[in-house]
Amino acid sequence: MSNPLKVVFLGSGPIAVPILQALHQAECIELAGVITQPDRPAGRKRVMTPTPLGDAAIRLGLEPLRIPDVNAPDFLEFMGKIAPDMLCVVSFGQILKTPLLMLPKYGCVNVHASILPRYRGASPITQCLLNGDIQTGVAFMEMEKGLDSGPVYRTEYCPLNGSEYADSLELKLGEIAAAVAPETLCDIAAKKLPGIPQDQSLVTVCRKISKSEGRFSWNFNAEKIERMTRAFFPWPGALCEYLNPAGNAGVLNICKAAVVSGFQLAPGECAELPGRLIVGCGGNTALEILELIPSGAKRMNAAAFRNGLRGGLPVFPEEISI
């Protein structure tokens, strides 16, 4: 293409940040607009806070538009005046309906954090970690009416070693996509990258994560709980209820743990070892809690938590009324 590709970027989550930065720096791309979700209250003081993408855009000198509904008639009219060649959508958080999908000259391209057609939907990073996958990736796909169902232009792969956390993996996948995003969008517009239809027999779907999914039982296998600590970090966390030695109830957010062997413990039973916190799990397995966040406290290691219990051990009953 002789002229830069006029792109409007729609994104909200952290994975979108490095991709926006790459498009902003690319000579073959003209960023005609940056669209994100409206600011939302965050933290205990409920301060209005921009999305990660919105914050990054501001730091780049690109004032983002905070649009609550991109399918509204007034926004469609605004986009018609911009007349973008292409929309690039990354972790945006709104569904684009047909009138908006049909507006750009070269269509709408979504960057999805999975190897499509595996993990269509809202939580591909979480699901690949929960399932212990040995690889994941990012797919550039043509957006259509269906959920992540369009033809795939390009897939970049990322091996997994079983130590990844959801937040750091999201950023890594964003960087992988960013390295090829400008040339990929320009090649799509130049018809150098044909979209390949997805194999419908391989489709899996993942829904949006709810806070309750972070709750686990010590009857779960230790490997499953360890995966939850990484897949649900930083939100909603791998959560369990407990009683301290004084009988007071609370919730533990398990941030870092390791599967250990050589222990014969019932589910929820703690090993009597100074400074360590090893808990029995289902299937005759055991998990060592390395770092955690108790109710109302900051992140700490197991030894500090044990010190707070004056050397005692937490009790993990099946049912606690908090």
Side-chain angles (χ1 to χ4, degrees):
M1 298 178 62
S2 57
N3 297 319
L5 184 70
K6 185 189 291 187
V7 175
V8 171
F9 190 93
L10 294 83
S12 296
I15 190 174
V17 172
I19 301 171
L20 175 67
Q21 293 169 339
L23 297 181
H24 177 57
Q25 296 169 359
E27 293 183 359
C28 70
I29 301 292
E30 175 193 343
L31 273 178
V34 178
I35 314 299
T36 192
Q37 298 270 42
D39 296 358
R40 294 177 180 174
R44 293 183 178 179
K45 295 185 178 180
R46 310 304 288 164
V47 176
M48 296 302 291
T49 304
T51 66
L53 188 280
D55 180 64
I58 293 169
R59 287 186 278 109
L60 288 172
L62 304 169
E63 182 60 37
L65 297 179
R66 300 158 174 85
I67 306 298
D69 181 8
V70 295
N71 300 295
D74 56 345
F75 182 73
L76 292 175
E77 181 181 356
F78 170 75
M79 290 294 292
K81 293 177 180 178
I82 293 179
D85 293 326
M86 182 181 289
L87 300 189
C88 180
V89 183
V90 189
S91 184
F92 180 49
Q94 295 184 38
I95 295 174
L96 277 60
K97 296 182 179 179
T98 301
L100 183 55
L101 293 175
M102 297 293 291
L103 192 149
K105 180 178 180 180
Y106 299 114
C108 303
V109 176
N110 176 240
V111 183
H112 186 73
S114 81
I115 302 171
L116 290 171
R118 189 168 174 82
Y119 303 136
R120 293 179 180 176
S123 57
I125 294 173
T126 296
Q127 294 302 325
C128 79
L129 295 179
L130 286 176
N131 292 336
D133 292 357
I134 61 173
Q135 73 171 350
T136 186
V138 286
F140 291 78
M141 54 156 285
E142 177 186 345
M143 296 184 71
E144 57 180 27
K145 190 174 181 180
L147 176 67
D148 299 326
S149 59
V152 176
Y153 295 111
R154 181 173 191 162
T155 301
E156 294 292 310
Y157 297 88
C158 174
L160 301 173
N161 61 24
S163 67
E164 294 85 3
Y165 280 74
D167 60 341
S168 57
L169 180 56
E170 180 176 2
L171 290 176
K172 182 176 182 179
L173 291 174
E175 291 167 356
I176 289 172
V180 298
E183 66 177 85
T184 299
L185 298 188
C186 292
D187 284 350
I188 292 169
K191 301 189 183 303
K192 295 180 181 179
L193 276 180
I196 300 175
Q198 298 182 36
D199 186 340
Q200 297 301 311
S201 69
L202 300 178
V203 171
T204 62
V205 177
C206 53
R207 66 187 184 282
K208 186 177 180 180
I209 299 298
S210 66
K211 186 175 181 179
S212 63
E213 290 182 71
R215 298 271 176 162
F216 68 86
S217 165
W218 291 106
N219 289 307
F220 292 177
N221 182 282
E223 184 178 13
K224 178 176 181 178
I225 300 173
E226 190 278 331
R227 289 176 181 172
M228 290 177 70
T229 67
R230 296 182 289 107
F232 292 133
F233 186 88
W235 189 91
L239 309 170
C240 67
E241 298 171 334
Y242 78 106
L243 296 172
N244 66 20
N248 299 316
V251 175
L252 294 183
N253 181 348
I254 313 302
C255 304
K256 186 176 182 181
V259 178
V260 291
S261 58
F263 294 89
Q264 297 294 321
L265 299 166
E269 179 185 0
C270 296
E272 293 281 357
L273 291 173
R276 298 177 70 184
L277 189 53
I278 297 174
V279 188
C281 305
N284 294 316
T285 60
L287 188 77
E288 180 166 11
I289 299 174
L290 302 172
E291 296 180 10
L292 68 163
I293 304 173
S295 298
K298 296 181 179 180
R299 182 168 176 165
M300 62 185 69
N301 60 31
F305 176 65
R306 290 287 305 276
N307 288 338
L309 301 180
R310 297 185 178 180
L313 289 166
V315 175
F316 298 111
E318 281 298 307
E319 299 290 340
I320 300 178
S321 178
I322 298 179

